[in-house]
Amino acid sequence: MTGMLMPFDKHADPTDEALLSQYAAGDGSAAAVLTRRLLPRVYRHALRMLGDAAEAEDAAQETMMRLWRVAPDWRSGEAQITTWLFRVTANLCKDRLRKRRALGLDEIAEPPDPAPGVARTMQDRQRRDALQQALQALPDRQRQAVILRHIEGLSNPEIADIMDITPGAVESLTARGKRALADILAGRKSELGYQDD
Amino acid sequence: MTEKSKTDMDAVERALSAAREDLKVPEGLMARVLADAQAMTPKPPRAVVRSVRAPVWRMSFLGGWRGLGGLVAATCAGFWIGIAPPSAWPDAGALLLGVETSTTPYSDDSEALSVYGWDIEES
């Protein structure tokens, strides 16, 4: 099989930017690779921000559409695509949260079921739901900072770039967010089985 | 940090790291995003097709290479006639401008020449 290229081999290594550039030049297969690479992170971020699977799907789809739209005008080297995506996702989610509040629909949404069909223990499910409910109780910016830092694993400078604040402010937001999460989850420790761990 | 709050923070850390597990993107969402991407794929830049002009000898309005050959021959002949017209031909330029031209009769025994003494030969 030496020398034989599989369909995705040509996209095995290219950077996100290179793929976007290929897409802008009319290569639809580059968008497929980008989608598989980036959509999970976009969707996960939207889901954690909104706490509602259907709304998260809409926000993620809209974010990706904006990426396709901006592709021909993307300026190489100006921003990382992931940074741009997180920023757009967060802005779309905040818009939705604002509308939700304006309509008085800001009760904590049904916890999302992130992986339907996947077997998991009831306790795992409860813990995940509890975390999501605790995240929803945080102010928007604290929630965004905690998600980006502790779930997406971004660095403080990267988060600062996305949120347009200083790395020090990111540190402050994540620290306060984690303390708030601890307070919220402390009352449910026995229910969630954390005392047994 | 007290022991109790440390335990609470540990619980948060564990919950957050569990949330890091890959979420499966709903298949419907994946399909919709892929469809959007295909539908919005920019058109590849059109290849610039240069209009290739036919070489001069293939220009049909000149009658092809035979016509062009005649045209070149006529041009050369006209150019040459312009430079060195046959002496028997009238001066076309003077005719058009209405200027008379005349030749000066010349003879060694002309009276006119004698007036200026040009016919006197030095001895």
Side-chain angles (χ1 to χ4, degrees):
Chain A
M1 290 272 289
T2 51
M4 184 174 170
L5 289 177
M6 296 301 283
F8 283 104
D9 281 359
K10 64 174 176 173
H11 297 308
D13 289 319
T15 62
D16 295 344
E17 203 169 85
L19 287 167
L20 194 63
S21 172
Q22 286 176 29
Y23 175 70
D27 182 358
S29 66
V33 180
L34 268 179
T35 301
R36 291 189 180 91
R37 190 185 284 181
L38 301 173
L39 182 59
R41 300 187 78 184
V42 170
Y43 173 64
R44 183 168 57 191
H45 191 48
L47 187 60
R48 295 299 174 200
M49 285 291 290
L50 293 165
D52 180 271
E55 275 203 282
E57 285 194 32
D58 289 346
Q61 186 178 0
E62 174 64 24
T63 302
M64 296 304 288
M65 278 183 79
R66 291 189 183 195
L67 180 64
W68 309 139
R69 204 172 291 140
V70 82
D73 302 318
W74 187 266
R75 292 185 180 180
S76 177
E78 276 200 2
Q80 283 212 345
I81 291 174
T82 47
T83 302
W84 185 89
L85 283 173
F86 280 130
R87 192 181 297 149
V88 172
T89 306
N91 287 339
L92 289 172
C93 290
K94 284 176 191 169
D95 286 347
R96 286 172 178 271
L97 290 168
R98 268 195 291 274
K99 281 181 193 163
R100 215 191 264 178
R101 283 177 197 128
L103 293 170
L105 303 172
D106 197 30
E107 75 275 13
I108 294 174
E110 275 295 302
D113 182 0
V118 176
R120 61 169 60 97
T121 65
M122 184 64 91
Q123 193 173 67
D124 284 346
R125 171 70 183 267
Q126 282 179 332
R127 286 178 178 182
R128 203 165 277 122
D129 293 351
L131 175 68
Q132 187 59 48
Q133 286 171 344
L135 283 170
Q136 292 305 128
L138 298 182
D140 289 349
R141 290 176 73 76
Q142 271 186 31
R143 177 163 67 252
Q144 184 184 4
V146 168
I147 292 168
L148 291 172
R149 181 78 188 87
H150 296 287
I151 298 181
E152 294 304 329
L154 301 187
S155 67
N156 283 356
E158 285 174 312
I159 299 167
D161 195 18
I162 291 166
M163 297 182 71
D164 204 19
I165 55 177
T166 64
V170 173
E171 186 62 45
S172 170
L173 280 172
T174 50
R176 277 185 284 145
K178 274 177 72 179
R179 276 199 300 274
L181 286 178
D183 287 343
I184 295 165
L185 292 176
R188 302 181 63 181
K189 255 195 320 191
S190 58
E191 172 196 348
L192 299 172
Y194 282 124
Q195 287 167 325
D196 304 329
D197 290 349
Chain B
M1 189 180 286
T2 64
E3 187 59 32
K4 179 179 182 298
S5 64
K6 185 180 182 309
T7 311
D8 292 344
M9 294 303 276
D10 287 346
V12 172
E13 291 283 356
R14 282 200 298 275
L16 288 169
S17 62
R20 251 174 248 146
E21 293 169 12
D22 272 341
L23 277 182
K24 192 172 180 187
V25 175
E27 286 179 14
L29 173 61
M30 181 64 81
R32 286 198 301 278
V33 171
L34 289 172
D36 288 343
Q38 294 309 313
M40 296 172 72
T41 303
K43 297 271 185 295
R46 298 176 72 179
V48 179
V49 179
R50 286 189 171 185
S51 59
V52 180
R53 302 180 73 177
V56 171
W57 62 85
R58 291 181 59 189
M59 290 182 179
S60 56
F61 70 91
L62 290 176
W65 68 270
R66 286 190 185 87
L68 190 67
L71 190 63
V72 169
T75 303
C76 291
F79 183 72
W80 180 249
I81 289 169
I83 290 175
S87 57
W89 288 15
D91 186 337
L95 284 175
L96 287 171
L97 294 170
V99 178
E100 285 187 20
T101 57
S102 60
T103 55
T104 302
Y106 176 80
S107 66
D108 284 342
D109 58 353
S110 168
E111 193 177 309
L113 292 177
S114 301
V115 172
Y116 300 100
W118 288 352
D119 56 341
I120 301 171
E121 292 187 13
E122 293 178 7
S123 56

